Amino acid sequence: MMEGTDDDPGHQSMDQTSAKLKRAVQYWLDKSTIHIVPRWCVFALLLSLFFLRIYLIQGYFIVAYGLGIFLLNNFIAFLSPLEDLNEGPGLPTTESEGKEYRPFTRRLPEFKFWMACSRGTATCIFMTFFPVFDIPVFWPILLMYFFILFFMTMKRQILHMYKHKYVPISWGKSKYKDAGVEHGMYGGGMSKSR
C-alpha cells in the first residue's frame, strides 16, 4: 500500500470527523440566525474579552488597531446599499418616478456582518497569545488616527445616505393606527369594539 492514497483509514476518519464538526457548527449557526440580540451579546462579550486582554497585557496595540479598521470596514459595508447609487440608473428624482417601492438591500447582510465581526475578534484574541504580533507602537497615535479615520469615513457615509435619500436601519413593519377598520355607512372590515 502506497503512502498518500485515499485508502488510509486514519485519513477517512479524520475527514468524517471534520465533516461532522462542520455540519454541527453550521447547524448551530443556522439555529442562531433568528436570535439577533443574543448573537450580538456574544460578539460584545468577545470584544470585551479582547479589550480586557489588551488592557491587562498592555500590548498588542497593533492587533487592536487592525481589528478596529476591520470592524469599521465591515460596518461601512453593512450601512452601504448593494447597488452603487452613483453608477447606472439612480434613485428617482421626481415623485412620479418614485411610485415603485424598492426595499433597501445591504451590501453586507446583518448575519454575515455579525459572523465577520465575531470571527475577526476571535482571531485577534488568538493572535494575542503569540509574541510575534506584539509590535511596539505608541498607542495614542494609533488611537487618534483611528478616530480621525472613523469620523471622516462616517461623515462620507452619512453624506452619501443624505444625497441618495436612504436610511439603512428599519425597525420592522409599519403599523398604521386604523388598519383594517372601515368608517362609513356600511361598516365592513373590523370594528373597533371587538
Side-chain angles (χ1 to χ4, degrees):
M1 194 165 163
M2 294 176 35
E3 286 186 41
T5 60
D6 290 336
D7 297 336
D8 186 18
H11 183 67
Q12 287 178 351
S13 67
M14 194 169 81
D15 286 344
Q16 289 173 346
T17 305
S18 174
K20 283 182 183 178
L21 181 65
K22 285 180 183 178
R23 274 197 304 272
V25 168
Q26 190 61 48
Y27 172 79
W28 287 108
L29 285 175
D30 292 343
K31 292 286 247 182
S32 73
T33 53
I34 59 171
H35 303 289
I36 297 170
V37 174
R39 277 192 287 116
W40 284 102
C41 288
V42 167
F43 168 69
L45 178 71
L46 276 174
L47 200 59
S48 300
L49 285 173
F50 174 71
F51 284 120
L52 179 66
R53 181 150 172 80
I54 295 294
Y55 176 73
L56 293 176
I57 296 175
Q58 289 296 309
Y60 297 95
F61 299 117
I62 199 78
V63 175
Y65 176 73
L67 178 63
I69 297 297
F70 177 75
L71 294 177
L72 177 63
N73 188 27
N74 282 323
F75 185 62
I76 294 300
F78 176 71
L79 292 178
S80 300
L82 180 63
E83 301 163 354
D84 188 10
L85 302 175
N86 292 326
E87 295 178 4
L91 291 176
T93 54
T94 63
E95 190 175 327
S96 62
E97 291 178 1
K99 297 289 183 193
E100 178 185 350
Y101 172 73
R102 291 189 305 186
F104 180 78
T105 307
R106 299 179 189 285
R107 185 166 26 136
L108 183 65
E110 184 269 336
F111 183 79
K112 289 184 179 180
F113 176 47
W114 169 80
M115 190 69 177
C117 292
S118 297
R119 280 183 180 161
T121 306
T123 302
C124 287
I125 290 172
F126 182 72
M127 288 171 71
T128 60
F129 289 101
F130 299 100
V132 71
F133 297 113
D134 190 11
I135 300 169
V137 292
F138 188 59
W139 67 266
I141 290 178
L142 281 181
L143 190 64
M144 182 182 69
Y145 183 65
F146 175 75
F147 280 124
I148 289 170
L149 189 64
F150 176 80
F151 288 119
M152 289 177 63
T153 307
M154 289 308 296
K155 178 184 173 190
R156 187 186 64 182
Q157 186 66 30
I158 290 170
L159 287 174
H160 188 267
M161 289 164 40
Y162 182 75
K163 176 183 175 187
H164 295 290
K165 298 179 175 80
Y166 69 89
V167 179
I169 299 169
S170 66
W171 300 104
K173 229 171 150 178
S174 300
K175 294 181 177 112
Y176 299 100
K177 183 179 172 186
D178 289 332
V181 178
E182 290 187 24
H183 303 283
M185 190 161 100
Y186 299 108
M190 299 184 321
S191 65
K192 283 190 173 187
S193 62
R194 292 184 196 177

